[in-house]
């Protein structure tokens, strides 16, 4: 196979090198396109454009494959825990016991949040959406940890990484407790990373905290399934902001804002609201399927479709199976689970969805589990952000270590040509 691509335009030919990835993906390197041909490419939504070469996560959308650093998501969800997966994504290898203990120890050392941060939290109305609160608090970490901003060495990057891994669960818990009018607390770092988070989120003043082990296992698995997804909207945002050397916390804060959108991570909240709406409307899934297909109707089947997966999202398969297990294990009946399964069945047999290869994605069933675990619906996307934190960190670290240039796309200008200014008296 030729390792060059040729572009012919107005009788002239231009050659560009082709890069082949370790899984056979091919990319035309157009580094010299503008200087040689005087042209740029145009690609709305970057549907066909690669922003980087990355060794973190591999997706095959046609076959529904997802691997973190070469490990199948099915294996990791079944056999690993979230902190191990965080280490794997960030540093590239599964940790041995000594490495994992040191990693968690360093994280625990950094799990205090400056008391002054509570004043920022106090400033928010109780009705504020937790994603907006979390994005602000995460950005504010920069003010209290100025040494974590312009980090150049791997050692300084590591310090910033363990800081945010230590403080983020506290910010997540405080964000939820603010909405529930509960006192802001700290957990118990003799517990594991995920159980400690759960304790901080749910313990009640004066009450003994205990939790069913199956709840922590389900939460741990959900966080693993959300941990990274190559160059999705929020990861690309983290890379873009990080490429200006704005620092890890500011970059993560930007990623949180990108994830908030209902077309991205905000879909897990939108799915439950959609399912509740269908239930309240009498449960007629067929009526809503027609709405989803009607171009004149803004209604979309939330939790369906994906930019990359044109097959089942492997995470959706695992979460759907886990939803049944968790609800049965907890003895929870949730009527919207049956509505979700009904929608999925109908969509998989409907030409509109089949032709466009629209399948359930990671957000379609996750909210049903979060709800069964007692997580408020407005916190669903916050849980997605917590899961995605290691992935964002890994993407940021890879980008900084490779010394990628500042991200600055081009455009094709389609506005007015030069025109003469006229004073207001002549307009
Ligand atoms: C996540 O990128 C990632 O990896 C993201 C993520 C991650 O882990 O980071 O996987 C997490 O964000 C999952 C996606 C969550 N969002 C939703 O569930 C919202 C509903 N889905 C859609 O809005 C949509 O499918 C997107 C945003 C996910 C993907 O949009 P694309 O790739 O831009 O596709 P498109 O909008 O061009 O759709 C192609 C066609 C269109 O119809 P035609 O113009 O060809 O006639 O499919 C239709 C769309 O109208 N379509 C849908 C639909 N999704 C696409 N029609 C009805 N319901 C839907 N959900």
């Amino acid at each position: 196979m030729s390792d060059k691509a040729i572009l012919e335009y107005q009788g002239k030919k231009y050659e560009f090198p082709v890069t082949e990835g370790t899984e056979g993906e091919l990319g035309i390197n157009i580094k010299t396109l503008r200087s040689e041909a005087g042209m740029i490419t145009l690609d709305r939504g970057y549907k066909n454009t690669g922003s980087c070469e990355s060794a973190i996560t591999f997706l095959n959308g046609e076959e529904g494959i997802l691997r973190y650093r070469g490990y199948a998501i099915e294996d990791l969800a079944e056999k690993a825990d979230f902190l191990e997966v965080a280490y794997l994504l960030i540093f590239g290898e599964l940790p041995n016991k000594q490495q994992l203990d040191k990693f968690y120890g360093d994280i625990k050392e950094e799990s205090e949040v400056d008391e002054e941060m509570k004043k920022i939290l106090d400033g928010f109305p109780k009705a504020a959406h937790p994603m907006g609160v979390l994005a602000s608090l995460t950005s504010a970490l920069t003010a209290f940890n100025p040494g974590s901003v312009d980090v150049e060495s791997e050692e300084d990057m590591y310090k910033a990484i363990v800081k945010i891994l230590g403080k983020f669960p506290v910010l997540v818990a405080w964000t939820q407790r603010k909405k529930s009018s509960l006192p802001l607390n700290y957990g118990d770092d003799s517990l594991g990373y995920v159980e400690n988070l759960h304790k901080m989120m749910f313990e009640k003043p004066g009450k003994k905290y205990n939790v069913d082990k199956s709840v922590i296992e389900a939460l741990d698995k959900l966080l693993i399934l959300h941990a990274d997804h190559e160059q999705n909207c929020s990861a690309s945002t983290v890379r873009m902001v990080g490429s200006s050397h704005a620092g890890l916390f500011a970059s993560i804060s930007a990623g949180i804002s990108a994830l908030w959108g209902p077309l991205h991570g905000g879909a897990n909240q939108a799915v439950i609201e959609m399912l509740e709406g269908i239930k309240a409307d009498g449960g007629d899934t067929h009526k809503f399927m027609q709405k989803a297909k009607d171009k004149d109707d803004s209604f979309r089947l939330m939790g369906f479709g994906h930019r990359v997966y044109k097959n089942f999202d492997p995470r959706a398969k695992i979460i759907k199976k886990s939803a049944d297990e968790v609800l049965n294990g907890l003895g929870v009946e949730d009527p919207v689970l049956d509505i979700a399964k009904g929608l999925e069945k109908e969509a998989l047999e409907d030409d509109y969805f089949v032709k466009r290869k629209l399948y359930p994605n990671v957000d379609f069933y996750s909210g049903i589990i979060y709800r069964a675990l007692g997580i408020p619906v407005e916190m669903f996307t916050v849980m997605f952000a917590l899961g995605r934190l290691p992935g964002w960190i890994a993407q940021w670290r890879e980008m900084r270590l490779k010394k990628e240039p500042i991200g600055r796309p081009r455009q094709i200008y389609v506005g007015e040509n030069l025109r003469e200014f006229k004073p207001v008296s002549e307009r």
Side-chain angles (χ1 to χ4, degrees), residues 47 59 228-229 232-234 262-265 267 292 295 299-307 310 313 315 352-353 356 358 361-363 384 388:
K47 294 191 175 189
L59 298 190
D228 192 54
H229 217 236
N232 58 84
C233 178
S234 54
L263 295 187
H264 191 12
K295 291 301 171 198
F299 176 81
R300 280 200 153 184
L301 206 53
M302 300 312 278
F304 256 80
H306 198 276
R307 173 62 56 79
K310 301 308 170 191
D313 181 333
R315 302 166 297 176
Y352 173 95
F353 285 81
R356 291 167 177 81
L358 303 175
N361 59 48
V362 67
D363 293 311
F384 192 147
R388 187 53 52 90

Side-chain angles (χ1 to χ4, degrees), residues 154-171:
E154 266 200 78
E155 187 196 351
D156 288 346
M157 287 181 197
Y158 180 81
K159 286 177 187 164
I161 287 167
V162 293
K163 274 185 195 289
I164 194 155
L165 284 168
K167 300 174 192 313
F168 202 77
V170 179
L171 299 182

Side-chain angles (χ1 to χ4, degrees), residues 115-129 132-133 136-137 174 178 184:
E115 278 298 293
E116 295 292 290
M117 288 275 284
K118 293 180 177 178
K119 291 179 184 160
I120 300 171
L121 190 54
D122 282 348
F124 282 95
K126 225 172 99 183
H129 194 288
V133 175
S136 305
L137 293 177
W174 286 4
K178 156 110 188 170
L184 304 183

